[in-house]
Amino acid sequence: MEQEMNQSYEKNFKETHTLVDNTEEAGAKRFSVIPHWKPVELRPDYSPVSSTKETLRRYLALERKINMTKNKKLKQGYEASIRKNIASGMLVKYGRFEDLKETFMNAYPIEGQEEKFVALAPSHLVVQDKDSHPIRLTVDYTTLNNFFSKASNMLNSIESKVLEMRAHKFVIGMDISKQYHMIMSQHAHSQCILHRDHPNQPLDVYLHCGLIMGHISSSSLAGLCMIQTGRNFDDLLQKARNQTIDHKEVYAPLSYALKEGILKPSTLPTNFSLEKLIRNSLYADNLIICKDSPSELGKDCLLYTSDAADDTPCVD
């Protein structure tokens, strides 16, 4: 049954995912996906009243902590995180809590109408050792995760990665938060949070429009998006080989790479497939190494190499 469900989720992804404009970068795109809802018979009992009240209680406790703390960096980090998420399109204002309270308290997920389900989730802060953003705003999706499935986890286990590092193998390295910011949810109404700039102001509800790190479906969806990215690249590469690609319609850094020689079709093996490379890296022991972010395409990233001993490809 689990295998059938996973196949159903992958099929649903292929049929429903779309590409939407990236508000942070002209010409770039983001994925828009539907989370993996469990079949209705596997969904647990749910009390929207209790869930809404608990979210409100936890937000008010967080607000008091932020405003009473002597650590100014905590408050500044929280405010900066909110501003950053609003600017990037991750958070979008939905309305006043008082106007929406009854809606939240009477909302249940209905089969076939999951996109209409509205729910609040508590938010909290995570202190991290990063100079650029030492405070990260996260969403606690523990209760609502009961409606969703993690599906197939394409990433290798932490234990296997530790063993590979001890064996001096290459391992994949990436900033997963940046990847999640490239994937939007089509069911953002089910992952709302509370916020207001000052305790004297009315409470506002914001839609969290991106993948949530605590969402049980996020890892699977991120893996599916990586594979689809490889498939899209392969399509572009084939068009480039056939000289039918319109460089003006391609994301600028990738267009530059295809035109100027870094990714000239002639420099890649005729059987090269980025989709296959990504699938191998996610499911098997073959690994991808990326030095730069996708925005650095056109400089010195994504060079195809192969180990003559076992013909295992990698990206460096």
Side-chain angles (χ1 to χ4, degrees):
M1 180 176 180
E2 182 178 354
Q3 185 177 3
E4 293 177 357
M5 287 175 60
N6 288 339
Q7 291 174 349
S8 173
Y9 293 137
E10 291 191 29
K11 181 176 182 292
N12 185 62
F13 169 83
K14 291 179 181 179
E15 294 174 350
T16 60
H17 84 272
T18 60
L19 293 177
V20 297
D21 289 337
N22 185 341
T23 56
E24 292 187 286
E25 187 174 358
K29 296 290 185 179
R30 285 170 167 157
F31 279 99
S32 177
V33 301
I34 293 177
H36 301 318
W37 288 87
K38 285 181 179 178
V40 64
E41 64 271 13
L42 298 180
R43 297 175 190 174
D45 293 335
Y46 172 67
S47 171
V49 174
S50 299
S51 179
T52 302
K53 288 182 176 180
E54 177 64 12
T55 300
L56 176 61
R57 183 193 69 78
R58 289 182 58 177
Y59 173 78
L60 295 176
L62 174 63
E63 184 179 60
R64 284 193 300 272
K65 179 179 180 179
I66 291 173
N67 286 298
M68 294 177 66
T69 182
K70 295 180 180 179
N71 184 355
K72 293 183 179 180
K73 291 184 178 180
L74 189 66
K75 181 177 175 64
Q76 293 170 352
Y78 170 76
E79 293 172 346
S81 184
I82 289 289
R83 289 195 300 269
K84 180 180 179 181
N85 279 280
I86 291 175
S88 67
M90 289 297 107
L91 290 179
V92 175
K93 191 172 180 179
Y94 183 39
R96 290 283 169 82
F97 174 66
E98 283 302 318
D99 298 333
L100 297 167
K101 184 177 180 180
E102 289 301 315
T103 302
F104 284 116
M105 288 191 167
N106 291 281
Y108 293 88
I110 300 174
E111 186 177 18
Q113 301 181 38
E114 285 86 357
E115 73 279 1
K116 298 180 181 179
F117 175 57
V118 295
L120 285 167
S123 55
H124 61 279
L125 301 180
V126 174
V127 179
Q128 52 190 16
D129 187 20
K130 292 187 177 181
D131 294 333
S132 58
H133 48 288
I135 306 295
R136 187 178 79 238
L137 179 70
T138 62
V139 179
D140 183 354
Y141 215 67
T142 305
T143 300
L144 294 168
N145 266 335
N146 293 324
F147 291 125
F148 301 91
S149 171
K150 68 178 181 179
S152 54
N153 184 1
M154 301 179 185
L155 300 179
N156 291 307
S157 67
I158 293 177
E159 293 84 357
S160 66
K161 290 300 165 212
V162 171
L163 291 174
E164 287 177 357
M165 284 189 284
R166 289 178 177 175
H168 306 291
K169 286 189 176 183
F170 290 110
V171 295
I172 187 169
M174 63 180 176
D175 187 337
I176 197 169
S177 65
K178 291 181 180 179
Q179 182 194 21
Y180 278 25
H181 279 158
M182 295 299 105
I183 307 172
M184 312 297 283
S185 173
Q186 295 179 27
H187 291 177
H189 290 82
S190 64
Q191 45 191 49
C192 298
I193 69 167
L194 296 172
H195 170 69
R196 59 184 171 188
D197 293 330
H198 193 275
N200 292 335
Q201 295 178 341
L203 266 175
D204 288 323
V205 176
Y206 284 80
L207 304 177
H208 193 298
C209 299
L211 281 193
I212 295 175
M213 288 193 179
H215 197 301
I216 197 170
S217 299
S218 291
S219 179
S220 171
L221 289 168
L224 290 171
C225 286
M226 288 178 68
I227 291 171
Q228 185 62 41
T229 299
R231 186 177 298 125
N232 293 348
F233 175 84
D234 291 343
D235 291 342
L236 285 173
L237 188 62
Q238 188 59 48
K239 289 181 179 179
R241 286 197 171 106
N242 297 335
Q243 297 184 342
T244 58
I245 192 171
D246 184 350
H247 292 283
K248 294 180 180 179
E249 297 180 0
V250 179
Y251 178 47
L254 180 57
S255 174
Y256 176 89
L258 287 168
K259 287 172 63 178
E260 301 301 326
I262 295 172
L263 288 178
K264 277 185 178 177
S266 59
T267 66
L268 298 174
T270 56
N271 63 344
F272 174 80
S273 168
L274 185 59
E275 178 190 356
K276 183 178 179 181
L277 178 61
I278 292 173
R279 281 185 178 275
N280 286 341
S281 300
L282 290 174
Y283 286 112
D285 293 329
N286 305 328
L287 300 164
I288 292 178
I289 310 297
C290 286
K291 293 192 296 185
D292 302 300
S293 66
S295 64
E296 294 300 314
L297 274 173
K299 293 185 179 178
D300 63 346
C301 104
L302 208 65
L303 301 178
Y304 180 85
T305 61
S306 178
D307 187 332
D310 58 7
D311 200 35
T312 300
C314 70
V315 175
D316 194 355

